[in-house]
Amino acid sequence: MTTTIELMRAHRSIRKFTQEAITPEQLSAIMAAAQSASSSSFLQASSVIRITDTALRQQVMALCGNQDYVGSAAEFWVFCADFHRHLQWVPDAKTGFAEQLLIGAIDTALMGQNALTAAESLGLGGVFIGAVRNEPVALCELLSLPKGVIPLFGLCLGHPDQHPEPKPRLPASMMFMENGYWQVHSDAGMKEYDEQVRHYYQTRTGGKKDTSWTGQIGETLAREARPFMFEFLQRQGFCLK
């Protein structure tokens, strides 16, 4: 096992940070690693908004469900899919296609994962924030995001002030398949995994949370999340055709 693999396998989300700042050298290294991520057709369809203004950070935090670590982390970045830049330099470029949403989302996710892995290699920690999509219109106005740009997720970065255990992942046999999709999985395997997840939550919360993976998924997928999203995407010039 290499140190890179060990680092990636040791990943856990950090939501509590010390007051120590991230150095300019560390920031530069993380940014360089993020930019080195793969890019579909070399479109580089991503932009990152670094929130350094304290008052602005508080406003962003309010739009993200008032998750306090959005305000307390040393760094908070908003990762965006961005085709505005392409239209600025190539006005005749054809945009608005559904495939471009996928390209922007994939490119940006790869960039975000590179950033977090680089940060973890420097002894830092972080957590992704999907709640930047809670009130996307307000966030676009707050950050002056033009048409062709959509916020996808945030990233808190800082020096960890907690050391939670990594969450247990699904058995590899349920996620990695060969020569086709395996539609039937072991009930016993899922039952065992459910118990692992239940034990993880009970231990992490001191018994305050008692749920399995399938129980959590049942709650999460019981209703549509962010039903305004399609209208917002079209407002910003995505998924028009």
Side-chain angles (χ1 to χ4, degrees):
M1 180 124 20
T2 67
T3 55
T4 301
I5 293 174
E6 289 175 352
L7 173 72
M8 296 171 77
R9 292 193 64 182
H11 164 72
R12 71 269 194 199
S13 293
I14 299 298
R15 295 178 173 84
K16 189 175 181 182
F17 303 92
T18 71
Q19 296 300 306
E20 185 177 356
I22 298 175
T23 67
E25 293 76 16
Q26 289 173 325
L27 286 173
S28 293
I30 294 168
M31 290 175 182
Q35 277 198 278
S36 298
S38 298
S39 173
S40 179
S41 299
F42 201 45
L43 286 173
Q44 302 182 84
S46 307
S47 289
V48 182
I49 312 296
R50 182 182 171 219
I51 311 298
T52 58
D53 181 271
T54 302
L56 180 61
R57 178 91 75 97
Q58 291 299 310
Q59 291 177 280
V60 173
M61 185 178 74
L63 295 178
C64 294
N66 281 310
Q67 299 179 79
D68 57 5
Y69 32 90
V70 172
S72 62
E75 293 283 328
F76 185 69
W77 299 359
V78 178
F79 284 76
C80 306
D82 182 0
F83 279 91
H84 176 79
R85 180 168 52 239
H86 303 77
L87 289 170
Q88 180 180 358
W89 297 107
V90 186
D92 293 333
K94 306 301 181 185
T95 61
F97 297 98
E99 169 66 9
Q100 290 166 351
L101 172 63
L102 297 178
I103 289 172
I106 293 168
D107 273 19
T108 307
L110 293 173
M111 195 174 178
Q113 188 61 57
N114 263 27
L116 181 55
T117 300
E120 290 174 339
S121 77
L122 296 171
L124 305 171
V127 61
F128 288 112
I129 306 296
V132 299
R133 303 189 303 277
N134 282 0
E135 298 186 53
V137 173
L139 187 64
C140 282
E141 293 174 351
L142 190 62
L143 301 184
S144 302
L145 301 184
K147 193 171 183 178
V149 181
I150 50 172
L152 294 175
F153 55 87
L155 176 60
C156 296
L157 291 173
H159 292 267
D161 195 25
Q162 62 175 180
H163 299 281
E165 291 295 319
K167 282 184 178 179
R169 292 325 204 228
L170 279 166
S173 61
M174 292 188 183
M175 300 190 75
F176 294 89
M177 307 172 195
E178 190 171 336
N179 299 324
Y181 191 90
W182 299 346
Q183 298 190 42
V184 179
H185 296 286
S186 166
D187 289 341
M190 180 52 73
K191 183 178 180 180
E192 180 179 353
Y193 178 65
D194 266 347
E195 288 306 311
Q196 291 176 359
V197 172
R198 188 186 303 278
H199 176 74
Y200 166 82
Y201 280 129
Q202 288 176 335
T203 302
R204 175 177 167 178
T205 65
K208 295 179 181 179
K209 185 172 182 178
D210 181 18
T211 187
S212 64
W213 185 75
T214 54
Q216 179 173 305
I217 297 307
E219 294 174 3
T220 303
L221 300 183
R223 59 194 176 279
E224 181 183 5
R226 302 183 178 103
F228 49 78
M229 190 53 66
F230 184 66
E231 181 179 348
F232 166 71
L233 290 173
Q234 292 194 316
R235 173 187 182 275
Q236 290 299 107
F238 287 79
C239 294
L240 299 178
K241 46 202 169 186

